[in-house]
Each structure stands twice: as structure tokens, then as C-alpha cells.
Amino acid sequence: TTCDNGSNVGTFAELKRRISEATNPSNPATIEICPDEPIVFEDIIDFSETHFKAECLGPNCDFDLDGFSFVTLDGTGANFTAEFQGITIKKGSTGKGRDSGLYGSIEWGGAFFLRGVSPDVSTLTFTNCTLQDNVATDDAGVFDSIGATVVATNTIFSDNESGGSGGVGFLDGPSAFNNCRFERNRAD
């Protein structure tokens, strides 16, 4: 598959729309990422009740979260399947777009704030990705996950930090890190 078939995602608005439309748990949508330049976030992306695989097809598949993050809005738990392949996810933070009334704590999980229904039906997967320069003012520089399964394979976690525990993550659910690298992550 190449970047020229006309159905590829190259903008934030298109990425957010395609994720919000991916609601079939028995047939997760494949979202082909092929931007001309990094996709810079303009808001949070809620992936509650969505089921998708975001797959890089081009040479520059960077998600610059620009202080925003991926979240599950329902604080009581959401059913989701989110898979990222070959994508760099960077500069997520707990500072923009979060409302403590919706999320519980707005200081947790720099790039991902997840509340799953159960680890059997709520999964987050990374393959050949890089997660870097994500920051949380409290816990979990990259992801704060409760009730979900997190799996990473051949993925690099670098220069992420939190003001509390977990430079990379706080995981309350099954997790697996296969052939991953952890470099210069910090927690105060």
C-alpha cells in the first residue's frame, strides 16, 4: 500500500473524524496515515467506544500532540481497541483540553489517559512506534491506564517525564513490552 490512493489521513481533522467513526468492535477500521508533514493536534482525541488500527504508510508519520492527548472521556470505563503501527507520538501533556469534571485527575497520562471497561475488551497496542517528549504534571508521562491492556512491541520510549511516579506509565491492568527500548525517561 502506498500514499497515493486518496483515502490516506494527513490532517488532524481527518484523523479525529476517522477515529470517531471507527465504532465496530468486530471489524476495527484501518486508518492509513500518510501526512506530508507532522500531524499537529488541535484538541484531544477521545477514542471511547472506537476500534481502529492507525498504520503509517509514509516516511513522516509523526503525531505532534502539541500539549493535547488521547483520552477515554467516560471516567467509568470505555470499550476500545486502539493500535498504532510505525507512528511517532510526541509532545503529549496533561495541560491542554482536559476538564477535571470529565476525567477525574487532569494531571495523569501525558499522551494517553485511559479508562477501560476490562482488560479483555479495552486494548492499546504499539508496534514499531516511538513515544517521546510526553509530560504529565503528576503520574505517568506517556500513559495512565486503568482497566485496559497495554502491549508494545519494537517500540522506543524516550525523554518522557512525570512530576510523580512513572516516567513512562501507570498501568493497572495487563501489560507486555516486547523488544522495547526505554531511554532517558524521568519521574520526580
Side-chain angles (χ1 to χ4, degrees):
T1 308
T2 62
C3 287
D4 59 4
N5 71 7
S7 66
N8 309 122
V9 171
T11 67
F12 174 76
E14 182 67 9
L15 176 65
K16 188 170 183 172
R17 183 185 67 76
R18 295 280 296 276
I19 288 174
S20 72
E21 293 173 351
T23 58
N24 184 347
S26 60
N27 186 22
T30 298
I31 302 171
E32 297 172 334
I33 309 299
C34 197
D36 292 328
E37 55 191 42
I39 294 176
V40 179
F41 277 44
E42 300 166 9
D43 197 358
I44 60 171
I45 289 185
D46 174 20
F47 61 92
S48 302
E49 309 305 325
T50 64
H51 306 275
F52 66 91
K53 174 175 72 172
E55 179 181 18
C56 176
L57 297 183
N60 183 16
C61 293
D62 288 1
F63 290 174
D64 180 345
L65 303 186
D66 192 31
F68 292 104
S69 57
F70 289 93
V71 299
T72 54
L73 283 178
D74 185 351
T76 61
N79 176 356
F80 61 86
T81 307
E83 182 177 349
F84 298 89
Q85 292 186 352
I87 298 170
T88 295
I89 300 169
K90 61 186 180 182
K91 298 181 185 174
S93 177
T94 55
K96 286 177 149 180
R98 294 197 188 180
D99 176 341
S100 61
L102 293 173
Y103 305 105
S105 176
I106 60 172
E107 290 91 21
W108 300 339
F112 292 89
F113 180 83
L114 313 171
R115 293 300 175 264
V117 172
S118 87
D120 297 331
V121 297
S122 304
T123 60
L124 176 63
T125 306
F126 303 97
T127 305
N128 300 318
C129 291
T130 299
L131 290 100
Q132 68 184 40
D133 299 319
N134 297 291
V135 178
T137 54
D138 198 349
D139 291 341
V142 177
F143 36 71
D144 181 82
S145 174
I146 295 177
T149 298
V150 176
V151 177
T153 303
N154 299 325
T155 293
I156 299 168
F157 297 88
S158 69
D159 300 300
N160 301 292
E161 66 179 277
S162 77
S165 60
V168 169
F170 172 83
L171 304 169
D172 183 9
S175 61
F177 296 89
N178 307 301
N179 199 34
C180 293
R181 289 193 341 231
F182 296 86
E183 304 169 341
R184 300 174 306 279
N185 299 291
R186 298 170 297 285
D188 293 334

